Amino acid sequence: MASQHLDGIRVLDLSRVLAGPLCAMMLGDLGASVIKVERPETGDDTRGWGPPFSEHGQSAYFLSANRNKLSLAASFTDPADRALILELIAECDVVVENFLPGALRRYGIDADALLAQHPRLIWCTISGFGPESLRPGYDFVVQAESGWMAITGEPDGDPMKMGVAMVDVTTGKDAAIGILAALSARDRAGARTLPSGERRVHVSLATSALAALVNVAQNGLVSGSDARRWGNAHANLVPYQLFRAADRPFVIAVGTDAQWLAATRALGLDALANDATLAANAGRLAQRERVVAAISAHVVTDAAASWIARLESVGVPCGVVRGVQDAVQDALNDANFSVTDAARYGLPPLWNGSARHEPPHCGEHTVTVREKRWLSFGNFT
């Protein structure tokens, strides 16, 4: 059964690019009705971020974050369009936007005033560097400034960004969590009106990125030393990294001392298994080079599948390094969601969510929304 937990919740998506649209899409996956407001003709910036483009002319980037939405083409500078947007806000539960401070207010769309005017409205702003900063928020810049790049890449190489815009993704998820918390608080309040401050959700790329440093940041706070790059190794665990088998690379992720003993026995490395100085992780961490060298020299003698079979048989976490196409194809073995569906809708929704509608073309539902407002979702299945 596809998730419809947010059935009846109306979301106005005024955001562009990735973090905001991803947040709104997640709410749509959970059953909310989402109207995406876009610039006439050009639409969301990501509509032009290609190739690749789908057979219907949609950029792959746009497809990844915009299913389960209707698209309304409207201009903030047009009085009639602005009046329509304010009407939609008056009737919705949640607004998601990522404009710079003051930008919407210049067009007569004032979050504080609207929250005061509409006592059940929840307003989520996603920014780059906080509610007072006029700096535009770009994932790459935040990865650089938050410490992510300093800890990513080979130890003797350049700082490296992640292969996915994970700051945007993390922030979008944080925004969705904040909105769900506000909706829950609003429902618990019942007839009592929540103060506007409790209905104002603000997340930023910078704070989401810092929070996502989790154990790496805590290591620095506890030790007093700055974090460094470990490549495909782990700062706190050994062995927990990539190794090269005879045919392809694979990873071993030993997280407990029991897994260490099981791994060394399964790999046939009895000398390591019997060494009492390596029985605890702290000892392996102190002898990292010796442990890694011994495993590396041994596993290169056989195929990755052989080592993985042995390790999995004793419950040691491990896996081959696969390409994106292989990983995606494997995830789409679910009979309820095909490769064709993924090309149209994006990857399968989380939480057993529902891909009810493929990402819209710019302004595809403008006439319908203008005529029926939120009632346009009556046939949106």
Short mmCIF file of all heavy atoms in Angstrom, two decimals, residues 100-102 105 127 129-135 202:
data_model
loop_
_atom_site.label_atom_id
_atom_site.label_comp_id
_atom_site.label_asym_id
_atom_site.label_seq_id
_atom_site.Cartn_x
_atom_site.Cartn_y
_atom_site.Cartn_z
N LEU A 100 16.32 34.60 -1.42
CA LEU A 100 17.17 35.38 -0.54
C LEU A 100 16.30 36.26 0.35
O LEU A 100 15.18 36.62 -0.02
CB LEU A 100 18.12 36.25 -1.37
CG LEU A 100 19.25 35.49 -2.11
CD1 LEU A 100 20.01 36.45 -3.01
CD2 LEU A 100 20.19 34.82 -1.11
N PRO A 101 16.81 36.64 1.53
CA PRO A 101 16.02 37.47 2.45
C PRO A 101 15.49 38.73 1.76
O PRO A 101 16.23 39.44 1.08
CB PRO A 101 17.03 37.83 3.54
CG PRO A 101 18.01 36.70 3.54
CD PRO A 101 18.13 36.30 2.09
N GLY A 102 14.21 38.99 1.94
CA GLY A 102 13.59 40.20 1.40
C GLY A 102 13.11 40.09 -0.02
O GLY A 102 12.34 40.96 -0.49
N ARG A 105 9.33 39.55 -0.15
CA ARG A 105 8.64 40.68 0.45
C ARG A 105 8.50 41.84 -0.53
O ARG A 105 7.52 42.58 -0.52
CB ARG A 105 9.38 41.13 1.70
CG ARG A 105 8.59 42.11 2.58
CD ARG A 105 9.36 42.50 3.83
NE ARG A 105 9.75 41.33 4.60
CZ ARG A 105 11.04 40.97 4.81
NH1 ARG A 105 12.02 41.68 4.29
NH2 ARG A 105 11.31 39.89 5.52
N SER A 127 17.75 28.34 3.12
CA SER A 127 18.76 29.33 2.72
C SER A 127 20.12 28.68 2.61
O SER A 127 20.32 27.51 2.98
CB SER A 127 18.82 30.48 3.73
OG SER A 127 19.36 30.03 4.95
N PHE A 129 23.08 30.26 3.95
CA PHE A 129 23.92 30.53 5.11
C PHE A 129 23.15 31.18 6.26
O PHE A 129 23.74 31.88 7.08
CB PHE A 129 25.10 31.42 4.69
CG PHE A 129 25.99 30.77 3.68
CD1 PHE A 129 25.77 30.95 2.31
CD2 PHE A 129 27.05 29.96 4.07
CE1 PHE A 129 26.59 30.35 1.37
CE2 PHE A 129 27.87 29.34 3.13
CZ PHE A 129 27.64 29.53 1.78
N GLY A 130 21.86 30.98 6.33
CA GLY A 130 21.08 31.51 7.44
C GLY A 130 20.16 32.63 7.02
O GLY A 130 20.30 33.22 5.94
N PRO A 131 19.19 32.97 7.88
CA PRO A 131 18.13 33.90 7.52
C PRO A 131 18.57 35.34 7.27
O PRO A 131 17.85 36.11 6.64
CB PRO A 131 17.18 33.83 8.72
CG PRO A 131 18.00 33.34 9.85
CD PRO A 131 19.01 32.42 9.24
N GLU A 132 19.76 35.71 7.72
CA GLU A 132 20.22 37.08 7.53
C GLU A 132 21.23 37.21 6.40
O GLU A 132 21.59 38.33 6.02
CB GLU A 132 20.85 37.61 8.83
CG GLU A 132 19.97 37.48 10.06
CD GLU A 132 18.64 38.18 9.90
OE1 GLU A 132 18.60 39.24 9.25
OE2 GLU A 132 17.63 37.64 10.39
N SER A 133 21.71 36.11 5.88
CA SER A 133 22.77 36.15 4.87
C SER A 133 22.21 36.35 3.47
O SER A 133 21.23 35.72 3.08
CB SER A 133 23.59 34.86 4.91
OG SER A 133 24.56 34.86 3.87
N LEU A 134 22.86 37.23 2.72
CA LEU A 134 22.48 37.47 1.32
C LEU A 134 23.32 36.63 0.36
O LEU A 134 23.20 36.79 -0.86
CB LEU A 134 22.64 38.95 0.99
CG LEU A 134 21.66 39.89 1.72
CD1 LEU A 134 21.99 41.34 1.40
CD2 LEU A 134 20.22 39.58 1.34
N ARG A 135 24.15 35.73 0.89
CA ARG A 135 24.96 34.87 0.02
C ARG A 135 24.08 33.80 -0.61
O ARG A 135 23.31 33.12 0.09
CB ARG A 135 26.08 34.20 0.81
CG ARG A 135 27.10 35.13 1.41
CD ARG A 135 28.14 34.32 2.18
NE ARG A 135 28.94 33.49 1.27
CZ ARG A 135 29.79 32.55 1.71
NH1 ARG A 135 29.91 32.31 3.00
NH2 ARG A 135 30.49 31.85 0.84
N HIS A 202 13.08 27.12 9.44
CA HIS A 202 14.19 27.67 8.67
C HIS A 202 15.36 26.70 8.75
O HIS A 202 15.84 26.38 9.83
CB HIS A 202 14.63 29.04 9.19
CG HIS A 202 15.50 29.77 8.20
ND1 HIS A 202 15.27 31.07 7.82
CD2 HIS A 202 16.57 29.37 7.47
CE1 HIS A 202 16.14 31.44 6.92
NE2 HIS A 202 16.96 30.42 6.70
#
